[in-house]
Amino acid sequence: MGKEKVVLAYSGGLDTSIIIPWLKENYNDLEIIACCVNIGQEDDMEFIKNKALSSGAAKVYIENAVNEFVEEYVYRGIKANAAYEGKYLLGTAFARPLIAKKLVEVAHKEGAKYIAHGCTGKGNDQVRIETAIAALDPTIQIIAPWRIWNIKSREEAIDYAQAKNVDLKGISKEKIYSRDQNLLHVSHEGGMLEDPSKEPDFDELLLMTNPVEKAPDLAEYVEIEFEKGIPVKLNNKKLNGENMLKALNKIGGTHGIGILDLLENRLVGMKSRGIYETPGGTILMEAHKYLESLVLEKEEAHFKNMVAQKYADLIYDGMWYSDFKKALDAFIDSTQDKVSGKVKLKLYKGTIKFAGMTSENALYNESVSSFSTGDLYDHNDATGFIHLFSLPYKIKAYNKMNQKHKSSGAM
């Protein structure tokens, strides 16, 4: 019989690069299958493949899932208006269930009983990855080196990599940020960011986005067309999800859009600080919110705001494959039937300004909302409405007056 197999979630970064030699040292009876899921991280996939093979992997899968990531994951977040703690657009969290899905598919193809990952024991991703794997195939066993080995820091990880002759292209003890990149965002953690008293050096840090000080002095307009909550055209050009987000990342990055410095509450119980760059996603989210304000009924819109918060919590907590999330998707999708139209935005030095929108489903009616009297609204109608609306407060006030009168009469 051949060796048992382990599928390793492989990015070519520091954590996963040292896992291959570590697995060979500690699980020498396992054949290592590296799996890199391309979701738009702009890495040299041929370099990553060769690096994994030279480090000891028996086989490498490069899975291209960029458009699937945008259209099946990111766009669900846009339709939901999901932002964790009202700010974070969940770039890492949306990627994890897709990566887990691809890992399980490769494990099934290879007949592997194990999946290994490079998530740390302090992070959210270990929960997201393992929960998704359990939902897809609960028989697969997990190997999580960061919860087992004696390596306690990224500095020690670098020392181990150097001892094993692992290529550390672009990684050093001076440039020690932990980064996660995909087509939706880049996240930055670690290094000086661990001290919340310090202002980040955006000139050194940012990869996708200009610091606002370096953004152009001239504003730029963009027009996004939606069909049932899905962005389909940019400046009248039809684009699929991948090309839509690529184009908006370039435009938004130029104008310093979507830079977030967030001290967040992690799923595992601690606070952490991250810098997030989400230029294109921020533009799409704002455009979608504006369009919903034009076409959704009041109570529908207000309830959807509550759903958006819960939806963001579910995604952040790794519950992509839960029945609750599917139920919320059904509600959200039902609201999006009307969310079709065009939104124009003005981008300038990190800001997004509304510049007009149209929709055949608009609930705004100028003759009703105008200060001028129109055919659909008579100012006199407000008298009866206010009388009925204020009736409970009148009754309450009358009761207080009567009680006061009785009290004074009894003296």
Side-chain angles (χ1 to χ4, degrees):
M1 292 181 63
K3 288 184 175 182
E4 292 284 5
K5 297 178 180 179
V6 56
V7 176
L8 169 64
Y10 188 78
S11 69
L14 175 61
D15 296 338
T16 58
S17 291
I18 62 175
I19 286 175
I20 292 179
W22 184 85
L23 285 172
K24 292 181 73 67
E25 277 186 342
N26 294 274
Y27 295 83
N28 58 15
D29 57 336
L30 288 180
E31 181 179 319
I32 302 167
I33 311 295
C35 178
C36 178
V37 183
N38 181 7
I39 45 179
Q41 55 266 51
E42 296 183 358
D43 290 333
D44 183 340
M45 293 301 162
E46 191 63 26
F47 171 80
I48 287 175
K49 180 179 180 179
N50 292 333
K51 182 177 180 178
L53 291 171
S54 66
S55 299
K59 188 184 291 188
V60 180
Y61 283 81
I62 305 293
E63 300 289 299
N64 188 336
V66 183
N67 195 58
E68 181 181 358
F69 172 59
V70 178
E71 296 192 355
E72 300 299 326
Y73 294 78
V74 175
Y75 279 1
R76 287 209 168 274
I78 298 298
K79 289 194 292 185
N81 298 329
Y84 181 67
E85 297 190 330
K87 296 178 180 178
Y88 169 44
L89 299 190
L90 300 160
T92 302
F94 279 122
R96 296 307 178 248
L98 175 56
I99 291 172
K101 175 186 170 187
K102 298 300 180 183
L103 292 172
V104 171
E105 288 174 358
V106 170
H108 288 169
K109 186 174 182 178
E110 290 288 336
K113 293 183 178 179
Y114 303 91
I115 288 177
H117 62 72
C119 306
T120 72
K122 289 185 176 182
N124 301 308
D125 283 344
Q126 59 182 337
V127 181
R128 295 166 180 157
I129 290 281
E130 293 182 34
T131 300
I133 291 169
L136 296 168
D137 185 347
T139 69
I140 290 177
Q141 299 178 53
I142 302 296
I143 300 175
W146 271 103
R147 302 201 298 257
I148 303 170
W149 61 23
N150 294 322
I151 298 171
K152 302 299 183 185
S153 67
R154 288 181 64 78
E155 288 84 357
E156 289 183 14
I158 289 173
D159 290 338
Y160 183 87
Q162 291 172 338
K164 299 298 179 182
N165 296 315
V166 173
D167 190 340
L168 290 177
K169 180 181 179 183
I171 302 170
S172 69
K173 291 184 180 180
E174 289 73 37
K175 295 183 178 180
I176 204 162
Y177 296 115
S178 174
R179 288 186 167 104
D180 176 80
Q181 183 178 20
N182 55 52
L183 195 57
L184 179 58
H185 87 161
V186 180
S187 67
H188 313 262
E189 294 179 331
M192 60 77 62
L193 298 177
E194 294 181 348
D195 184 348
S197 71
K198 293 182 179 178
E199 178 183 8
D201 182 353
F202 285 136
D203 286 327
E204 173 193 272
L205 196 70
L206 300 178
L207 298 180
M208 294 175 72
T209 319
N210 276 331
V212 292
E213 294 85 356
K214 293 184 178 180
D217 293 330
L218 187 65
E220 182 172 354
Y221 289 88
V222 294
E223 183 181 77
I224 301 168
E225 182 172 344
F226 290 83
E227 289 181 5
K228 295 187 176 183
I230 299 294
V232 293
K233 289 183 181 180
L234 174 61
N235 297 329
N236 290 317
K237 184 178 180 181
K238 191 172 182 64
L239 298 172
N240 67 4
E242 178 179 351
N243 290 327
M244 175 70 74
L245 203 47
K246 280 182 178 178
L248 285 173
N249 279 340
K250 185 175 181 180
I251 296 169
T254 297
H255 292 278
I257 303 296
I259 302 170
L260 175 65
D261 187 344
L262 180 65
L263 192 66
E264 70 196 67
N265 291 292
R266 277 187 178 174
L267 169 61
V268 293
M270 68 188 72
K271 291 184 184 292
S272 67
R273 186 189 187 192
I275 305 294
Y276 298 103
E277 301 176 63
T278 320
T282 301
I283 294 170
L284 286 177
M285 184 72 82
E286 290 304 301
H288 183 261
K289 287 179 179 178
Y290 278 123
L291 187 56
E292 282 196 337
S293 73
L294 183 65
V295 300
L296 295 188
E297 298 172 1
K298 173 186 171 183
E299 295 302 329
E300 183 182 28
H302 287 188
F303 187 74
K304 188 172 181 293
N305 285 340
M306 292 188 285
V307 170
Q309 180 180 333
K310 189 62 182 177
Y311 195 89
D313 289 345
L314 288 177
I315 303 307
Y316 188 88
D317 291 349
M319 299 173 66
W320 181 268
Y321 295 107
S322 68
D323 287 343
F324 187 22
K325 183 260 180 188
K326 292 176 184 176
L328 294 184
D329 276 329
F331 166 74
I332 292 164
D333 286 344
S334 74
T335 68
Q336 299 304 291
D337 286 342
K338 303 179 288 293
V339 187
S340 298
K342 298 179 180 181
V343 181
K344 191 174 183 181
L345 300 173
K346 180 180 180 180
L347 312 179
Y348 181 69
K349 290 192 177 295
T351 65
I352 302 174
K353 301 297 184 183
F354 173 69
M357 59 183 166
T358 59
S359 173
E360 292 182 353
N361 302 320
L363 295 182
Y364 177 87
N365 185 294
E366 188 172 353
S367 69
V368 172
S369 299
S370 168
F371 283 103
S372 302
T373 301
D375 294 335
L376 294 177
Y377 190 89
D378 186 334
H379 288 273
N380 293 322
D381 292 340
T383 302
F385 169 76
I386 295 170
H387 175 71
L388 294 176
F389 186 82
S390 63
L391 188 57
Y393 307 101
K394 288 181 179 179
I395 293 172
K396 183 179 178 181
Y398 277 130
N399 286 340
K400 284 185 177 179
M401 290 171 64
N402 289 334
Q403 290 171 3
K404 186 177 181 180
H405 179 71
K406 289 179 180 179
S407 176
S408 61
M411 294 291 291

